Amino acid sequence: MKKISVQKVSDAAQNVWVEHLSPDWFLPYLQLSRWDRPIGWWLLLIPCWWGLLLAINATNEPRIFDLWILIGCFLGAVLMRGAGCTWNDLTDHHLDALVARTQSRPLPSGRVSRQNAYLWLGVQSLLATLILFTFNFFTILIGLISLIPVIIYPFAKRFTWWPQIFLGIAFNWGALVGWSAHTGSLDLPPLLLYGAGIMWTIFYDTIYAHQDRTDDIISGIKSTALLFGSHTKLWLGVFGILTVLLLGGAILASWNWQFFNPISLIITLTSLFLFAGHLIWQLKKLNINSPEICLSVFRSNRDCGLLIAFGLALAIVF
């Protein structure tokens, strides 16, 4: 197959700083880590912030170290998303060469060798591990266990129609990390939050997968987009409802009723209401036969998830 000599990846965001500021030799590595598509690390980061902010509200004990947890989660999300994407492309680059949207990625286009990709994977993983080691011992263990679903996910679309579940398991592990980094333990609320994140991931990644339906059929890749087909909106409605119910359960189960503050609870539940409204808006706007609309709706989930994070942060202030 003829290699594609391009510098821009086909589905990257427009006018990304990476393309303007990165040296030419380093740009393919940043593209391999999807730095030109920041939505991925946002969706990995948001559950981390959910978990931390929910834990602060639950304990009613904000600490200075929580600022570092916020920053560390951000840095870790960028690095681990990059490492995960590098691993994903190493396992999939032959399949990516068959899909129009992914042919221009650094590995299938030949701009990065497999050997160098493995080295880049190691650098990102090492830096993320150093950040993880600044947290408490229990959180370090939780973080290391997260490598299992990260390693498995790229293979899921080969053996199940539900690879989005495996993505959700990997992508929302930060909800457990964020909570445990503050509390040093796990409880029912972060588990409910984790479940909500998995349901949310199935929701938004099914939308994303509809961009590749035709190519996926040809290459034998499985996804919930193909499984749901014309019934996608109905299924997304179900997963949207489950997301909201589990989020609501996590909030109510975690709330510190001993120091009950009605204003804080109202703020948080209002953010949940706005989150639910955003999911409804996505369903109304979605056209599964338009890759452009699918990508636009998928990317809007950053703002959707930040509604919950903002509500939880505001509740701490009040």
Side-chain angles (χ1 to χ4, degrees):
M1 178 179 176
K2 184 178 179 179
K3 293 180 179 179
I4 305 170
S5 58
V6 295
Q7 286 296 307
K8 185 175 180 63
V9 178
S10 63
D11 60 345
Q14 299 297 317
N15 297 318
V16 182
W17 67 269
V18 169
E19 298 174 1
H20 301 292
L21 299 182
S22 172
D24 290 343
W25 67 270
F26 195 45
L27 178 58
Y29 295 92
L30 296 181
Q31 291 173 331
L32 185 60
S33 297
R34 311 286 200 275
W35 280 40
D36 53 346
R37 277 163 285 177
I39 180 60
W41 60 255
W42 272 113
L43 294 175
L44 188 63
L45 170 64
I46 286 169
C48 301
W49 283 358
W50 284 359
L52 172 61
L53 295 170
L54 192 67
I56 296 173
N57 276 291
T59 60
N60 199 33
E61 294 178 354
R63 309 182 188 118
I64 293 297
F65 188 71
D66 291 331
L67 293 175
W68 165 243
I69 298 175
L70 283 171
I71 297 170
C73 283
F74 165 74
L75 296 174
V78 174
L79 288 166
M80 281 308 298
R81 191 270 183 131
C85 289
T86 304
W87 170 244
N88 184 79
D89 285 9
L90 279 165
T91 61
D92 281 356
H93 85 275
H94 294 301
L95 291 174
D96 287 341
L98 302 175
V99 178
R101 185 178 58 82
T102 58
Q103 287 177 339
S104 56
R105 289 179 178 176
L107 274 170
S109 65
R111 291 184 291 125
V112 173
S113 68
R114 289 182 63 82
Q115 180 180 5
N116 287 346
Y118 275 114
L119 290 173
W120 180 230
L121 170 63
V123 169
Q124 295 172 98
S125 301
L126 176 61
L127 293 174
T129 301
L130 292 176
I131 293 171
L132 178 64
F133 279 9
T134 66
F135 298 156
N136 61 64
F137 180 73
F138 184 77
T139 303
I140 293 172
L141 291 180
I142 294 293
L144 292 176
I145 294 172
S146 72
L147 294 176
I148 297 173
V150 170
I151 291 171
I152 293 174
Y153 165 67
F155 303 100
K157 55 182 167 287
R158 293 169 169 84
F159 63 81
T160 178
W161 291 102
W162 296 86
Q164 279 69 26
I165 292 180
F166 288 83
L167 180 65
I169 291 171
F171 245 59
N172 293 280
W173 205 273
L176 307 179
V177 171
W179 176 282
S180 66
H182 177 81
T183 65
S185 64
L186 288 178
D187 207 336
L188 177 61
L191 296 178
L192 292 172
L193 192 67
Y194 182 50
I198 293 173
M199 297 301 105
W200 182 41
T201 301
I202 297 173
F203 181 95
Y204 66 64
D205 200 61
T206 298
I207 294 172
Y208 184 80
H210 267 288
Q211 299 175 90
D212 300 327
R213 287 201 320 268
T214 301
D215 289 326
D216 285 351
I217 292 172
I218 295 172
S219 56
I221 294 174
K222 297 178 174 65
S223 73
T224 49
L226 292 175
L227 180 64
F228 299 161
S230 61
H231 301 292
T232 288
K233 286 196 175 185
L234 176 61
W235 278 99
L236 292 184
V238 171
F239 287 111
I241 291 171
L242 290 173
T243 302
V244 173
L245 290 177
L246 287 167
L247 274 173
I251 291 169
L252 294 177
S254 70
W255 215 256
N256 194 328
W257 300 103
Q258 182 180 358
F259 302 98
F260 178 65
N261 183 338
I263 296 178
S264 294
L265 185 58
I266 290 171
I267 290 172
T268 305
L269 293 179
T270 298
S271 70
L272 179 61
F273 176 80
L274 294 173
F275 177 91
H278 198 290
L279 296 183
I280 293 172
W281 172 83
Q282 290 184 53
L283 286 176
K284 289 183 176 180
K285 183 177 179 181
L286 178 63
N287 177 356
I288 62 173
N289 296 312
S290 170
E292 294 77 16
I293 291 178
C294 287
L295 183 59
S296 173
V297 173
F298 163 74
R299 286 175 173 167
S300 74
N301 279 279
R302 180 200 66 175
D303 298 337
C304 186
L306 286 175
L307 288 171
I308 297 293
F310 181 74
L312 289 170
L314 202 58
I316 295 172
V317 175
F318 283 91

